Amino acid sequence: VFITDLDYNTIYVNEAFETEYGFMLEEILNKEIPVLADKYIAPNLKSDITESTLLKGWKGELIIYGKEGNGFPTYMSTSSVKNDEGLAEAIVGICQDISELKNIQETLKKRNNLLILLNNVIRFTNNSFNFNEAVRYTINKVCEYTHWDIGHCFLLKDEYLESSGIWNDNIPDSYLLFQEITEQKNLLKGKDIPGKTFETKRTSWLDINTQTDEKHFIRYKVTKELDIKTGIWVPVIMSDKTIGILEFFKKDLEKPDQELLDCLDNIGFEVGRHYEKLEAIDNIKQSEKLLMHAQHIAKLGSWKGDMVKDEITWSDEMYLIYGLNKNNKSFRYQEYLKLIHPADLEYSTSVIKDAIENKRPFSYYHRIIVPTGDIKIIKAHGEVIFDINGNVTGMFGTGHDV
């Protein structure tokens, strides 16, 4: 608490004021109150504080400087002391150090931003089916959040980490030499990444000034020439294996930030999960391609019927067997029955009906007449599909041109 005259000359400060700001009453008595000194408070702000104080009081946040010159955020409220005639005679101020509150707010803001960063990466990789596109997005988002100068990705090829050629957007031309050296083939092995990031599968943070030779950091010389002071290496993890490294560099010297490191660890896992997803999709496509070739060689097609929608879907080979163009992806049950030889129609429908009613597989032979007029013999095999209540909802099976 402080009390001043209308010109902000000190009349009184309490013990807490002395402790907080380091100014004793006897040294500032009848002098300008330090917390509102002209050298710290802009003239227009001080004028606003004075005007508001004399009218109805003023409240707001300021950076207040103590005797040692250290500034910290303070919430201040001021009001005027009036005499019996209603005229202002003095000003009373209350100051509250809100440094801890500000620190908490900054921590919460930072954690929220880290969460947004991670969620943005997850959302993008979930919707992306292009690995390079996902990596570029991730690198740009990390650089955007951290304000780091360089972002880049290495991928494992044999025993070496080779540049993916993916960098953050808008890298200044001054880093061209760093890019050229980084993209040399066979430049790095896992052991050449600082902090043993490749082996430990954990993100590492490096003060590049602590590296004195190329033994521990191969690109030491070029980073020194470019005055790059800080680096981060993030492992890209897939199925507990490191398949690549995301790396980030900054000219400023930054102290390690464990919360950022933990977030980047999760981002590395997310990029690895994305790679694994695309690899699985590619394997499925290859399997489907092999299945199509196998079906064609064996003259064996597959089908699935949805009894709820009255919809039958065929594999490509089924269309070839029946000599039909794949104009529609599906057709109805009655349309399918028209493809069966008239002499086998009653038998075919009875077999299918029996399978549905008794909920059991079926296997039988029947003839079809293809558009050319030729007759083919088909071995049909199928099984019924149930819902959770045991009701038949569909069928699936194969058709074999024998």
Side-chain angles (χ1 to χ4, degrees):
V1 176
F2 65 84
I3 301 175
T4 71
D5 62 20
L6 299 182
D7 293 320
Y8 295 113
N9 294 314
T10 307
I11 297 173
Y12 167 81
V13 295
N14 68 348
E15 185 178 344
F17 183 99
E18 294 177 328
T19 302
E20 190 73 27
Y21 300 110
F23 296 102
M24 298 296 105
L25 176 59
E26 54 268 24
E27 64 180 306
I28 59 174
L29 187 64
N30 297 321
K31 297 179 181 178
E32 184 181 42
I33 190 74
V35 295
L36 288 172
D38 289 338
K39 64 177 180 179
Y40 298 134
I41 306 297
N44 59 334
L45 175 58
K46 192 167 184 177
S47 175
D48 178 59
I49 293 174
T50 302
E51 183 178 343
S52 298
T53 299
L54 296 177
L55 289 174
K56 56 182 179 180
W58 182 88
K59 295 178 181 179
E61 294 181 11
L62 298 170
I63 298 297
I64 300 297
Y65 291 84
K67 188 174 182 179
E68 301 299 324
N70 52 315
F72 44 87
T74 300
Y75 181 79
M76 178 186 292
S77 62
T78 59
S79 59
S80 62
V81 179
K82 294 182 172 59
N83 59 21
D84 293 339
E85 298 176 357
L87 299 175
E89 290 186 332
I91 294 174
V92 176
I94 300 175
C95 300
Q96 180 185 2
D97 180 4
I98 56 173
S99 298
E100 185 175 349
L101 175 62
K102 286 293 184 181
N103 288 337
I104 292 173
Q105 290 175 342
E106 285 300 315
T107 299
L108 291 176
K109 180 181 178 181
K110 172 188 164 187
R111 289 175 179 173
N112 183 60
N113 287 338
L114 285 173
L115 185 60
I116 291 173
L117 170 63
L118 179 58
N119 284 338
N120 283 340
V121 171
I122 291 173
R123 188 181 299 110
F124 190 91
T125 54
N126 281 343
N127 294 321
S128 171
F129 293 92
N130 183 304
F131 183 71
N132 288 356
E133 176 187 63
V135 170
R136 181 171 287 105
Y137 176 87
T138 299
I139 288 173
N140 279 321
K141 275 297 173 183
V142 171
C143 288
E144 177 186 322
Y145 171 80
T146 60
H147 304 293
W148 284 46
D149 304 308
I150 303 175
H152 171 249
C153 175
F154 280 111
L155 291 176
L156 185 65
K157 186 175 182 181
D158 299 323
E159 62 177 324
Y160 286 94
L161 287 164
E162 294 197 359
S163 173
S164 64
I166 302 173
W167 299 79
N168 61 308
D169 297 336
N170 304 318
I171 296 181
D173 291 340
S174 56
Y175 294 121
L176 182 60
L177 177 60
F178 181 85
Q179 288 182 267
E180 290 177 351
I181 292 175
T182 298
E183 292 185 351
Q184 291 177 5
K185 289 190 176 297
N186 302 332
L187 175 69
L188 296 176
K189 292 186 177 181
K191 64 181 178 62
D192 298 323
I193 293 292
K196 298 184 177 178
T197 299
F198 197 86
E199 292 87 353
T200 62
K201 303 181 181 68
R202 293 303 304 264
T203 298
S204 58
W205 188 296
L206 179 69
D207 174 358
I208 295 176
N209 288 327
T210 64
Q211 303 301 301
T212 57
D213 56 49
E214 292 187 287
K215 179 179 180 181
H216 298 99
F217 181 32
I218 288 179
R219 290 168 292 171
Y220 164 77
K221 286 184 179 179
V222 66
T223 54
K224 277 291 188 182
E225 290 175 12
L226 295 172
D227 198 29
I228 297 172
K229 296 183 177 68
T230 315
I232 295 179
W233 288 267
V234 183
V236 177
I237 306 295
M238 186 187 80
S239 300
D240 202 38
K241 293 192 307 182
T242 304
I243 63 167
I245 297 288
L246 303 178
E247 59 176 7
F248 303 92
F249 297 91
K250 192 171 188 178
K251 279 203 168 189
D252 298 334
L253 181 60
E254 296 279 347
K255 294 181 180 179
D257 182 334
Q258 190 57 50
E259 290 187 339
L260 175 58
L261 288 173
D262 291 341
C263 178
L264 292 176
D265 267 336
N266 287 322
I267 286 176
F269 277 109
E270 183 59 31
V271 173
R273 187 199 65 79
H274 178 66
Y275 188 92
E276 188 172 21
K277 177 187 76 173
L278 297 182
E279 191 176 68
I281 291 173
D282 186 61
N283 289 337
I284 290 172
K285 288 181 178 178
Q286 291 298 323
S287 296
E288 289 176 344
K289 189 174 181 181
L290 289 173
L291 177 61
M292 288 177 62
H293 284 306
Q295 286 185 347
H296 182 65
I297 292 171
K299 295 185 178 181
L300 178 71
S302 58
W303 56 269
K304 182 179 180 181
D306 186 329
M307 295 177 62
V308 177
K309 296 181 179 179
D310 186 19
E311 187 175 85
I312 299 174
T313 55
W314 276 358
S315 69
D316 290 350
E317 188 60 26
M318 283 291 286
Y319 283 95
L320 291 174
I321 290 172
Y322 279 74
L324 300 174
N325 294 321
K326 192 178 180 180
N327 296 323
N328 299 312
K329 292 184 178 180
S330 62
F331 48 89
R332 299 183 182 280
Y333 179 62
Q334 290 300 322
E335 294 173 326
Y336 162 70
L337 293 179
K338 293 178 182 179
L339 304 174
I340 298 176
H341 193 289
D344 296 340
L345 181 58
E346 183 177 351
Y347 173 65
S348 297
T349 54
S350 67
V351 171
I352 295 172
K353 181 180 179 182
D354 177 72
I356 294 172
E357 291 177 349
N358 295 288
K359 301 177 182 178
R360 62 188 181 189
F362 63 87
S363 182
Y364 70 103
Y365 293 87
H366 68 84
R367 290 167 293 173
I368 62 171
I369 303 175
V370 299
T372 60
D374 294 333
I375 296 175
K376 292 183 179 181
I377 299 175
I378 305 299
K379 181 181 181 181
H381 175 81
E383 296 186 17
V384 293
I385 301 171
F386 310 93
D387 62 17
I388 58 175
N389 297 315
N391 300 313
V392 177
T393 59
M395 310 179 81
F396 70 96
T398 59
H400 190 188
D401 179 4
V402 295

